[in-house]
Amino acid sequence: TEQLASAAGGSMSQLAVAAELSAEETGTATALTITSAPTPASTEHPSSASSALQEGSVVSDPSASVDGPPPKRPRQDIHRTGAKTVPGGPQDLLLPGTGYHVRGALRTKPGRGPPTRSMACSDKITRWTLLGLQGGLLAAVVTPVYLDSIVIGELFDETALQRVFHDRLRAITGVPPPFSVHPPRLLPTSLRFAHSRDLVTARGAKTHNDVSACGSAITWTSLPSGPEHEASSIGRRLGVSAKAAPARAHRCLVSRSALQDRFLQIMSRIRDGSPALNLPSVEGRSYDDCKALSTVYQQAKAAFHAHLPGWVGNHEAP
């Protein structure tokens, strides 16, 4: 069995996994671990927290002082996120306290800078709970592959996680079998990510504000041939110039053209070995045409987008 895992900062394909996520296969189930540095609550400046917003954090009034009037009662707030709500979906109300954000909305990342076409990690995982991890290409030849559990380190908030990964798709309709909602188990851990912002700062290497996520991606593979891993940035392998990037020899392992080639090879072997399956020919078809062959997958995907409108695709302007 060929397995492909990617730590990618952007949304290259269904097989690309966001950089802050690490996945490992355990038996027949897949355990996905999310680790992130804790972000202090703020009443004015958004943080880089994911769209799984946490509630109930206490924010004290900064204007209170020892020599002045008695401090005001702490009020309830939520961990702020700079991730932007998608056009066409529910928008943030920007009200004081817990009314600042609308909960459960689809968002794009990162929190700072102009809008992008990269959906928030929690939104991608939510879609995986319905469509599976295999993506549209492999859906033509395999049944859906679902996450069994997610182990979360810091900022574990069971209420917020339940709302994002369980409740948002509870009332979805029009999903054809074999697809169905498979909410993962949500498990906390006290283990801390060795390269989190807080621990890197504690080692004295840099100040807290100087530590930021790496803009590059590392892809690990388990294939009969080819490199065991490769590093890439802005969609091309490190060290490859923009002019040379389109060449097949320089493309990323998780690029659409590379994934399509692997898919064509798999389909050719299946057609030759099992002609009774009567699989459609894929020769000469584009990447999108190959994905469209999985008609049941496309129906489930349409049901998801109808239930949570506004998803920003790779072909759409941010």
Side-chain angles (χ1 to χ4, degrees), residues 140 263 267 280-282 285 288-296 298:
F263 175 73
M267 291 293 285
S281 174
V282 294
R285 293 179 181 266
D288 288 336
D289 288 341
C290 289
K291 293 184 69 173
L293 293 175
S294 305
T295 55
V296 179
Q298 297 300 331

Side-chain angles (χ1 to χ4, degrees), residues 24-109:
E24 62 179 3
E25 190 173 50
T26 56
T28 59
T30 300
L32 178 63
T33 303
I34 305 176
T35 54
S36 61
T39 307
S42 169
T43 58
E44 297 180 358
H45 302 288
S47 73
S48 58
S50 71
S51 61
L53 303 175
Q54 299 185 39
E55 355 180 19
S57 300
V58 176
V59 178
S60 301
D61 184 0
S63 63
S65 65
V66 175
D67 299 328
K72 298 178 181 179
R73 293 181 59 186
R75 57 188 176 85
Q76 297 295 308
D77 202 352
I78 57 177
H79 283 281
R80 301 291 174 84
T81 176
K84 302 163 182 63
T85 52
V86 297
Q91 302 297 304
D92 288 328
L93 301 178
L94 307 182
L95 299 175
T98 57
Y100 189 87
H101 286 303
V102 59
R103 299 181 180 89
L106 296 177
R107 298 177 182 272
T108 58
K109 59 181 183 179

Side-chain angles (χ1 to χ4, degrees), residues 146-167:
Y146 292 108
L147 285 171
D148 175 78
S149 62
I150 302 177
V151 180
I152 301 177
E154 300 153 52
L155 291 182
F156 181 88
D157 186 298
E158 188 172 5
T159 299
L161 294 168
Q162 178 80 21
R163 180 175 62 245
V164 170
F165 298 134
H166 289 233
D167 298 344

Side-chain angles (χ1 to χ4, degrees), residues 26-304:
T26 56
T28 59
T30 300
L32 178 63
T33 303
I34 305 176
T35 54
S36 61
T39 307
S42 169
T43 58
E44 297 180 358
H45 302 288
S47 73
S48 58
S50 71
S51 61
L53 303 175
Q54 299 185 39
E55 355 180 19
S57 300
V58 176
V59 178
S60 301
D61 184 0
S63 63
S65 65
V66 175
D67 299 328
K72 298 178 181 179
R73 293 181 59 186
R75 57 188 176 85
Q76 297 295 308
D77 202 352
I78 57 177
H79 283 281
R80 301 291 174 84
T81 176
K84 302 163 182 63
T85 52
V86 297
Q91 302 297 304
D92 288 328
L93 301 178
L94 307 182
L95 299 175
T98 57
Y100 189 87
H101 286 303
V102 59
R103 299 181 180 89
L106 296 177
R107 298 177 182 272
T108 58
K109 59 181 183 179
R112 298 177 177 85
T116 69
R117 291 189 294 268
S118 183
M119 298 298 297
C121 301
S122 56
D123 293 334
K124 295 177 183 177
I125 297 173
T126 299
R127 195 164 77 159
W128 292 342
T129 64
L130 176 67
L131 302 181
L133 298 169
Q134 76 293 324
L137 287 180
L138 290 181
V141 292
V142 301
T143 55
V145 179
Y146 292 108
L147 285 171
D148 175 78
S149 62
I150 302 177
V151 180
I152 301 177
E154 300 153 52
L155 291 182
F156 181 88
D157 186 298
E158 188 172 5
T159 299
L161 294 168
Q162 178 80 21
R163 180 175 62 245
V164 170
F165 298 134
H166 289 233
D167 298 344
R168 285 203 290 183
L169 297 182
R170 192 180 299 277
I172 191 171
T173 59
V175 179
F179 295 93
S180 61
V181 180
H182 283 69
R185 293 178 296 149
L186 303 172
L187 308 172
T189 179
S190 59
L191 297 177
R192 303 192 64 186
F193 181 47
H195 303 288
S196 67
R197 176 179 293 184
D198 282 359
L199 292 187
V200 170
T201 303
R203 290 195 291 267
K206 293 179 179 291
T207 64
H208 194 271
N209 291 332
D210 291 335
V211 179
S212 60
C214 179
S216 300
I218 300 177
T219 304
W220 290 269
T221 65
S222 177
L223 297 173
S225 61
E228 181 180 352
H229 66 273
E230 72 174 12
S232 61
S233 179
I234 59 173
R236 62 175 183 264
R237 288 165 51 188
L238 290 183
V240 176
S241 66
K243 183 177 180 179
R248 297 174 67 88
H250 300 313
R251 64 187 180 183
C252 292
L253 292 171
V254 291
S255 65
R256 290 188 171 191
S257 61
L259 293 176
Q260 183 182 13
D261 283 353
R262 300 292 298 179
F263 175 73
L264 295 178
Q265 294 173 16
I266 292 173
M267 291 293 285
S268 177
R269 293 175 184 174
I270 294 176
R271 283 173 57 86
D272 293 343
S274 305
L277 292 178
N278 196 27
L279 293 176
S281 174
V282 294
E283 297 300 327
R285 293 179 181 266
S286 67
Y287 178 85
D288 288 336
D289 288 341
C290 289
K291 293 184 69 173
L293 293 175
S294 305
T295 55
V296 179
Y297 175 89
Q298 297 300 331
Q299 293 171 11
K301 184 178 177 180
F304 176 88

